Amino acid sequence: MITNTELEFKGDLYPSKIVSFEHDVDSVYFHSSNSVILKVTIVRDSLIRFRYTTKGYFSNDFSYAIDKSHSHGYNFLEVIEEFDFFKIQTSKVKCIIQKIDMRISVFDLKDNILLEDELGFHWEESYEFGGNIVKMSKASKDGECFYGLGDKATQMNLKGKRLENFATDQYAFQKEQEPLYKVVPFYIGLQHKQAYGIFFDNTFRTFFDFCHERRNVTSFWAEGGEMNYYFIHGPKMEDVVASYTDLTGKPELPPLWALGYHQCKWSYFPESNVKEVTAKFRESKIPCDAIYLDIDYMDGFRCFTWNKEYFPDPKRMVAELAENGFKTVVIIDPGIKIDKEYSVYKEALEKDYFCKRADGPYMKGKVWPGECNFPDYTNPEVREWWAGLFKELISDIGVKGVWNDMNEPAVMEVPNKTFPMDVRHDYDGNPCSHRKAHNVYGTQMARATYHGVKRFAYPKRPFIITRSAYAGAQRYTSSWTGDNVASWEHLWIANIQVQRMSISGMGFTGSDIGGFAEQPSGELYTRWIQLGVFHPFCRTHSSGDHGDQEPWAFDLEVIDITRKFVNLRYQLLPYLYTMFWQYIEEGIPMLKPLVYYDQADTQTHYRNDEFVFGNQILVCPILEPNAIGRRMYVPRGQWYNYWTAKLVNGGKEMWVDTKYDEIPVFVKAGSIIPKYPVQQYVGELEFDELILDLYYKEGKEKSVVYEDAQDGYDYKKGRYSFLTFQITGKVSELNIQLHKEGKYDTPYSKYKINLIGLPFKIKRIEIDNEEVDLDIEALERDSYLIVDKEFNALHITG
Ligand code: MIG
């Protein structure tokens, strides 16, 4: 029996007394008298894995989520047996395991309790499927908060919610709807201002209950597999997220163009329509880097084919688009049309690459092409074959990115919307049913796609986007939040989803700007693009059923505001690229929910709308029609209103006036924000200066700028430029120190420094200890300085 409502079931079984233990290098095994084994592995001092079996032995240890290159190793480990418990201690935490019932508690070294089993591990045997429904319950104190779990369409703080993880094609999903497209069984707990993380690495259908069923209990369970989870010690949320991201992996840098604006619709065809749209962008002077071809570019929805009537010469078209600065991205679905004349189908059939039912026949399901078979991407040989299929698209035709859809996997006209559960999968040599492979199917497809596109795009970087994902998918792909709706409520949802994905390790995410289903009003589209330019992935997409969703489908005012905000995104590209670098280098999420930004301030614990974009820009969308401003919480510290340059003191909720062509945006005092000139696409212009917006602060502040060749892999050989600006502001003085690293010589030769909020009149400037001649009049008029990029120290006095 599968239970998804009853946490405590009368058939539940529990570990009995611990009768023996062994310590083997980084792991300690505890054996109970009823054949339960608990294996505690010290991955790092602050990262501990707990794995249970009820069979008396462990099955093969295999995970798609864990990045093989994650850091491991600890500084200290001590295992001590006491009269009625065992103690495992590292340099960060202490773990107590009770002999009588195997229950666990984890403390920091000051004896603060971080995590405590309530019932702890228990299970229910499943006669029907074999194996267990594995369960875990933890005691939770009043005031504890919970965050994370990927794409959930609910409030940021998950306290009081029950959530389900089962990748689902959820067209026009609603607020609170469960489950959605992605599965990230990772959450962050926050208690007494201390954060910890739990990653439950189980790919079966899983559930998390955050004090919903019982007020002081948090629990999680899975409909099969092992109780296998990682505890991550903070105490800063930053450390929890960074450790989780290290454990499940980071992407490589995307090509810079992928951080530009993308335009999509279901579907742009024929070729003349694609050209019309791209030309219109250039004419309207709204920057755009990528144009998408949805399913209608194919011949009868057969993957890797072209409809020759609509697209007679794809290679020529793609090249012409490229000349105009457009990168072409095409959709590829998992369903392969059953058609003996179709080479992809024939080859997969010959090689036996399709998923099979338990009794032998190939699994058959209806999707866009009609009856299809589906490659088993959990088979490494199938992934290799799939990767090879991209040769023509990428090498010959010149497509720059691939969009994987329908990979939950989605099946039409069947009640469960997906494969039957008896379908067999290779699971990289650990054969299993769809119950276990379902949640990773999409990620394995995206992984195979990634390897193919990467191989044929070389020496350029690949770009992949997926709808479904399991924890760790960020190593291969970006993602979008699926089929949302053009409604104000969905704008609220998108804002939270993208922030939540960001702290769940999968930062390169965005929503369909304007909404996929239904038609946005001009005002809703405006408010959405104003938020969307601050999302790591920025794409307008719509189902096309209800009219057009290009900027010019709306009135002139909307077009102007869209241009203004897309321009801003293009100006902020070096800032955006730098945050991407920090994400891949240090696991720092690109968007920071307020609770992440300042967990010590309890005012942030239930905030949803405001977030920090990168490290220094605070953004809060307008989520209602007819707004002339809104109330928002400005976190502690000093912030400049981006539009007025007025300084405010945070740590309080306040009203912020806005106009139709603004949303609340604040810049942290002391920041240096790097900017490029507006370009219609990445690489359009050569420019000779990097703009630095300097926001004066009394005190110190550090800002960094990462740059490289914007594509290719030279950055891995040290050919990047990493600038660190350290400013120190005093009452009538400002010092800027610049430190450089890396072997990339940026093409510009100077900085244009805009001095914002300087509280004194400049009387003297020294560059590297040499006084420079001043044109005081010009300085007072323009408030900027031009400085050679080789400077080390700039000293401004009033
Ligand atoms: O059944 O390819 O989420 O972005 O435009 C619909 C057509 C299939 C769903 C995707 C959407 C895409 C659409 N697809």
Side-chain angles (χ1 to χ4, degrees):
M1 173 177 143
I2 296 293
T3 80
N4 62 11
T5 51
E6 283 282 279
L7 174 62
E8 271 183 286
F9 172 65
K10 55 184 176 325
D12 280 347
L13 299 165
Y14 295 83
S16 52
K17 210 168 110 218
I18 295 176
V19 290
S20 66
F21 86 107
E22 305 131 46
H23 180 181
D24 180 18
V25 199
D26 62 351
S27 296
V28 190
Y29 297 81
F30 300 95
H31 299 258
S32 80
S33 58
N34 62 343
S35 299
V36 175
I37 310 173
L38 160 62
K39 180 181 179 186
V40 181
T41 302
I42 313 306
V43 185
R44 289 162 55 193
D45 292 289
S46 56
L47 180 56
I48 303 182
R49 179 180 182 194
F50 298 93
R51 194 180 169 206
Y52 297 82
T53 176
T54 63
K55 304 178 295 197
Y57 61 90
F58 282 104
S59 305
N60 183 35
D61 189 18
F62 176 78
S63 167
Y64 281 119
I66 305 297
D67 182 4
K68 292 200 179 62
S69 64
H70 74 270
S71 15
H72 48 89
Y74 44 83
N75 296 310
F76 179 77
L77 174 59
E78 185 180 63
V79 183
I80 294 176
E81 178 170 5
E82 298 283 359
F83 180 71
D84 48 13
F85 61 87
F86 293 91
K87 185 175 92 175
I88 300 176
Q89 189 166 328
T90 74
S91 74
K92 291 279 167 62
V93 293
K94 198 163 73 182
C95 175
I96 303 292
I97 296 127
Q98 301 296 337
K99 285 189 180 169
I100 185 146
D101 54 8
M102 249 184 201
R103 283 192 308 153
I104 290 172
S105 33
V106 185
F107 300 82
D108 66 15
L109 298 187
K110 291 183 199 130
D111 279 327
N112 295 310
I113 189 142
L114 305 173
L115 186 74
E116 184 185 10
D117 278 354
E118 187 245 355
L119 298 171
F121 172 57
H122 52 297
W123 73 97
E124 186 187 320
E125 287 179 346
S126 167
Y127 172 75
E128 194 183 348
F129 299 108
N132 300 322
I133 296 156
V134 290
K135 309 179 182 184
M136 173 60 66
S137 67
K138 304 286 183 195
S140 173
K141 305 261 161 25
D142 287 348
E144 189 167 11
C145 297
F146 302 94
Y147 306 93
L149 279 194
D151 65 347
K152 304 303 181 187
T154 188
Q155 64 198 38
M156 191 70 72
N157 186 341
L158 299 171
K159 175 89 172 223
K161 302 283 172 193
R162 171 173 290 184
L163 302 128
E164 178 180 350
N165 289 323
F166 187 73
T168 305
D169 175 5
Q170 206 65 271
Y171 172 79
F173 59 91
Q174 293 173 0
K175 186 176 169 191
E176 309 288 341
Q177 183 150 5
E178 283 285 290
L180 295 178
Y181 301 87
K182 297 172 191 70
V183 173
V184 188
F186 161 66
Y187 72 85
I188 303 159
L190 179 64
Q191 198 183 0
H192 302 312
K193 302 179 182 177
Q194 298 220 44
Y196 65 89
I198 297 285
F199 174 42
F200 180 25
D201 189 10
N202 180 310
T203 63
F204 286 81
R205 187 191 297 265
T206 52
F207 294 86
F208 287 77
D209 185 301
F210 298 104
C211 310
H212 169 85
E213 184 168 305
R214 287 184 289 155
R215 175 178 175 149
N216 291 112
V217 178
T218 278
S219 56
F220 47 92
W221 63 102
E223 293 184 348
E226 276 180 2
M227 178 46 61
N228 167 32
Y229 74 94
Y230 295 79
F231 166 81
I232 306 169
H233 174 57
K236 285 196 274 173
M237 208 177 275
E238 204 178 307
D239 300 319
V240 175
V241 175
S243 293
Y244 169 77
T245 311
D246 179 74
L247 185 65
T248 56
K250 299 156 189 166
E252 295 181 319
L253 280 175
L256 186 59
W257 66 260
L259 299 181
Y261 173 74
H262 300 211
Q263 182 68 35
C264 190
K265 178 180 149 168
W266 181 13
S267 289
Y268 291 127
F269 71 91
E271 175 177 338
S272 58
N273 178 227
V274 177
K275 290 280 187 57
E276 226 172 88
V277 172
T278 52
K280 198 78 197 257
F281 270 99
R282 297 298 180 244
E283 232 169 80
S284 330
K285 291 259 172 285
I286 298 172
C288 184
D289 259 280
I291 186 84
Y292 283 61
L293 302 181
D294 205 329
I295 48 178
D296 300 287
Y297 80 91
M298 296 184 257
D299 173 17
F301 308 117
R302 290 170 189 82
C303 294
F304 306 100
T305 68
W306 290 79
N307 179 317
K308 285 292 163 84
E309 194 187 314
Y310 299 150
F311 298 98
D313 187 355
K315 185 173 175 162
R316 176 190 43 74
M317 177 188 76
V318 168
E320 286 166 4
L321 291 170
E323 253 164 56
N324 203 10
F326 284 93
K327 274 57 77 175
T328 306
V329 180
V330 302
I331 199 167
I332 290 283
D333 287 351
I336 299 299
K337 188 178 176 69
I338 300 181
D339 168 4
K340 281 192 219 116
E341 309 297 309
Y342 169 35
S343 67
V344 177
Y345 171 76
K346 273 197 306 197
E347 197 185 344
L349 191 66
E350 255 161 47
K351 296 187 164 152
D352 199 17
Y353 285 164
F354 291 125
C355 294
K356 285 182 187 146
R357 302 296 299 264
D359 297 325
Y362 287 120
M363 187 258 147
K364 212 162 72 174
K366 234 177 124 184
V367 261
W368 291 107
E371 295 284 2
C372 284
N373 291 145
F374 299 83
D376 182 12
Y377 301 103
T378 72
N379 180 341
E381 197 183 318
V382 174
R383 287 199 299 272
E384 181 56 28
W385 163 74
W386 184 259
L389 296 175
F390 288 92
K391 184 169 193 303
E392 192 190 356
L393 263 181
I394 309 297
S395 304
D396 304 348
I397 298 175
V399 164
K400 289 284 180 282
V402 174
W403 172 24
N404 283 164
D405 186 23
M406 304 290 278
N407 53 356
E408 290 66 32
V411 178
M412 292 167 173
E413 296 169 22
V414 292
N416 74 343
K417 304 204 261 188
T418 190
F419 291 4
M421 291 301 134
D422 69 279
V423 165
R424 304 293 300 163
H425 293 273
D426 179 68
Y427 213 91
D428 279 66
N430 304 274
C432 67
S433 78
H434 196 65
R435 296 176 66 242
K436 180 174 176 178
H438 175 83
N439 281 338
V440 298
Y441 187 85
T443 302
Q444 296 315 302
M445 178 195 189
R447 175 187 182 181
T449 301
Y450 164 76
H451 284 297
V453 179
K454 184 173 178 177
R455 184 179 308 161
F456 301 114
Y458 191 85
K460 300 281 196 214
R461 305 174 194 163
F463 171 71
I464 314 300
I465 178 161
T466 186
R467 193 169 71 176
S468 186
Y470 182 71
Q474 68 269 13
R475 302 202 292 276
Y476 319 114
T477 178
S478 64
S479 74
W480 89 104
T481 56
D483 295 341
N484 58 3
V485 183
S487 69
W488 290 94
E489 186 171 81
H490 259 274
L491 180 56
W492 179 89
I493 295 173
N495 178 29
I496 294 179
Q497 280 183 307
V498 178
Q499 290 182 60
R500 204 200 300 288
M501 287 295 283
S502 197
I503 55 166
S504 303
M506 281 205 74
F508 196 8
T509 300
S511 70
D512 284 351
I513 293 173
F516 178 74
E518 299 175 27
Q519 183 72 359
S521 65
E523 186 182 8
L524 177 59
Y525 183 79
T526 300
R527 294 313 192 185
W528 210 312
I529 192 91
Q530 288 172 330
L531 171 65
V533 299
F534 295 107
H535 283 168
F537 177 67
C538 179
R539 179 185 77 167
T540 294
H541 183 37
S542 72
S543 65
D545 295 346
H546 308 268
D548 294 334
Q549 208 156 297
E550 297 79 34
W552 48 87
F554 306 99
D555 62 36
L556 253 176
E557 203 177 5
V558 178
I559 301 176
D560 288 342
I561 300 172
T562 301
R563 182 186 308 106
K564 172 173 168 174
F565 275 78
V566 178
N567 281 352
L568 178 59
R569 183 178 178 94
Y570 276 73
Q571 290 178 293
L572 288 173
L573 278 174
Y575 180 82
L576 196 46
Y577 202 43
T578 302
M579 67 172 98
F580 214 111
W581 170 256
Q582 294 185 317
Y583 165 46
I584 70 159
E585 275 296 298
E586 301 164 48
I588 298 174
M590 292 186 271
L591 302 190
K592 297 163 180 72
L594 281 205
V595 63
Y596 175 105
Y597 186 74
D598 190 359
Q599 73 190 52
D601 175 4
T602 50
Q603 295 293 315
T604 65
H605 294 188
Y606 278 88
R607 300 303 306 191
N608 291 305
D609 298 350
E610 311 85 351
F611 63 92
V612 178
F613 171 69
N615 300 321
Q616 296 165 321
I617 300 180
L618 173 68
V619 176
C620 185
I622 295 287
L623 301 171
E624 286 175 4
N626 303 315
I628 51 163
R630 63 164 291 162
R631 289 194 74 78
M632 66 176 281
Y633 189 75
V634 177
R636 296 189 292 185
Q638 291 191 304
W639 300 85
Y640 285 88
N641 184 315
Y642 178 78
W643 311 107
T644 63
K646 216 183 123 217
L647 196 60
V648 301
N649 284 310
K652 53 179 179 272
E653 203 178 37
M654 59 181 80
W655 173 266
V656 180
D657 286 318
T658 59
K659 304 181 189 127
Y660 190 24
D661 66 347
E662 291 173 359
I663 58 169
V665 176
F666 290 85
V667 182
K668 195 177 175 196
S671 304
I672 291 187
I673 307 290
K675 281 180 170 173
Y676 287 163
V678 172
Q679 304 176 80
Q680 297 310 300
Y681 55 89
V682 166
E684 183 203 24
L685 301 180
E686 281 173 25
F687 44 89
D688 194 38
E689 60 189 20
L690 178 68
I691 298 158
L692 300 173
D693 286 353
L694 187 155
Y695 292 84
Y696 170 86
K697 170 191 182 176
E698 196 175 327
K700 284 184 195 294
E701 192 73 30
K702 194 176 97 176
S703 302
V704 294
V705 184
Y706 172 85
E707 290 167 287
D708 64 15
Q710 310 185 350
D711 206 336
Y713 298 94
D714 277 0
Y715 74 101
K716 296 201 167 191
K717 296 180 220 136
R719 252 165 252 132
Y720 60 83
S721 153
F722 194 80
L723 309 176
T724 304
F725 294 96
Q726 184 80 53
I727 75 144
T728 312
K730 296 182 185 152
V731 180
S732 57
E733 219 180 297
L734 176 65
N735 286 309
I736 309 167
Q737 306 271 345
L738 169 58
H739 174 77
K740 291 185 184 190
E741 265 170 66
K743 291 187 286 192
Y744 178 70
D745 189 20
T746 47
Y748 52 81
S749 69
K750 50 191 191 232
Y751 302 119
K752 176 180 177 185
I753 306 179
N754 290 315
L755 297 164
I756 300 156
L758 208 63
F760 56 84
K761 283 208 164 118
I762 300 176
K763 299 217 180 85
R764 185 187 158 93
I765 294 181
E766 281 173 30
I767 295 174
D768 296 338
N769 297 327
E770 269 180 48
E771 185 169 355
V772 292
D773 289 342
L774 283 185
D775 180 347
I776 295 280
E777 223 170 83
L779 201 58
E780 273 172 20
R781 188 186 58 234
D782 309 324
S783 307
Y784 71 75
L785 292 175
I786 300 284
V787 181
D788 186 276
K789 78 168 177 181
E790 301 307 334
F791 90 91
N792 296 306
L794 184 65
H795 189 71
I796 303 173
T797 34

